[in-house]
Structure formats: C-alpha cells, structure tokens
Amino acid sequence: MFNSIRVLFITTLFSVFTFADVFMTELTDAQDAGDAGKYVELYNSSDAAIDLSVGWTVQRWTNGNVDPTTNSIKSLTGTIAAGGFYIICNDADKIAATYGITCDQDIGTGGFADSNGDDNMGLLLDGELVDIFGVPGEDGSGTS
C-alpha cells in the first residue's frame, strides 16, 4: 500500500513539474561588451513552433535584490521554431558584427540581455517561472 502511494505521488509530481519546452541555453557576457554586445539564447525543445508573444516574458534581478529590476521585465515577440533557437540581445548590430549571428529581439541596454555576469535571469510563461539562471536575492559574484 505504501509503495503504491509513493509511486502515485512521484508520478503526480513528475507530471506537474514537467520540463519547459523553452529554456535558456546560453548567456553571453563578453569582456568587451561595450563593443561586442550581450545576448541570451533560448531553445525550443518541442516539436511545434511556439509563439513567444503569447505570455512569454523575461526579467533580471540585479545586485542581490529579491525583486526583479523593473526596466528588465520585457515581453517577448516573435516565434521560435520547433527545435530552434531565439536570440534576445542588447544591440543587434553589435551582435551581428561580433558573432555573425542575427538577434531575434533587440531589447536594448539596461535590461534582461545586459547583465554584468553576476545577475540572475528568469524566463516566465504567464507570470510563472519556467527557467532561471542564479538565485534571486543573491549577488552572483563568485558563485557557480
């Protein structure tokens, strides 16, 4: 009986906490970011395109703050293809010149794609956190 309850509980947990189809795969914080630009790469692991303009947002926590930086909260636009990548950057021209890649959404400086390396970043769907880099409320300097 106890084993049946445990299996049911684990199965329920697994189905409630499934992996997100879209998640962060790369954060770029170049040493010469003033010239190179910075970006965050998202990946769609599903077998269907996802319209990011329907409820998807990003945000950043800076300097050990427990609340996200207000100007970093951005709604996403565009579509990410099945098995595709989506680049969010702080300067599309610099990203193209430095890395030779196309930025899908340029959200400018001072926000989500403009971290100095010790910030915490989150990807949300309908206000629910689906992926995170770092620990909100903790300055990421010197942490793994």
Side-chain angles (χ1 to χ4, degrees), residues 12-43:
T12 303
L13 277 178
F14 185 73
S15 36
V16 170
F17 296 107
T18 58
F19 295 103
D21 289 332
V22 178
F23 53 91
M24 292 181 280
T25 52
E26 184 175 3
L27 309 171
T28 301
D29 181 19
Q31 290 285 344
D32 56 352
D35 296 325
K38 299 177 183 182
Y39 68 88
V40 177
E41 177 186 82
L42 304 180
Y43 176 70

Side-chain angles (χ1 to χ4, degrees), residues 3-141:
N3 283 336
S4 297
I5 293 172
R6 184 172 49 186
V7 168
L8 178 63
F9 179 72
I10 291 170
T11 303
T12 303
L13 277 178
F14 185 73
S15 36
V16 170
F17 296 107
T18 58
F19 295 103
D21 289 332
V22 178
F23 53 91
M24 292 181 280
T25 52
E26 184 175 3
L27 309 171
T28 301
D29 181 19
Q31 290 285 344
D32 56 352
D35 296 325
K38 299 177 183 182
Y39 68 88
V40 177
E41 177 186 82
L42 304 180
Y43 176 70
N44 176 3
S45 65
S46 77
D47 56 2
I50 294 177
D51 182 356
L52 296 174
S53 67
V54 182
W56 289 91
T57 58
V58 291
Q59 64 188 35
R60 176 177 75 152
W61 295 261
T62 59
N63 304 320
N65 290 313
V66 295
D67 294 318
T69 307
T70 305
N71 69 338
S72 76
I73 301 170
K74 301 287 184 185
S75 295
L76 297 180
T77 61
T79 300
I80 182 171
F85 294 93
Y86 188 87
I87 306 293
I88 304 165
C89 69
N90 69 345
D91 189 313
D93 294 336
K94 289 180 182 178
I95 294 299
T98 303
Y99 305 108
I101 60 175
T102 301
C103 176
D104 296 295
Q105 186 172 347
D106 184 339
I107 60 174
T109 59
F112 174 76
D114 202 26
S115 172
N116 63 359
D118 65 353
D119 298 328
N120 308 296
M121 297 147 83
L123 174 66
L124 297 89
L125 175 59
D126 296 327
E128 296 294 322
L129 194 61
V130 297
D131 194 14
I132 190 164
F133 171 80
V135 179
E138 176 182 288
D139 185 312
S141 299

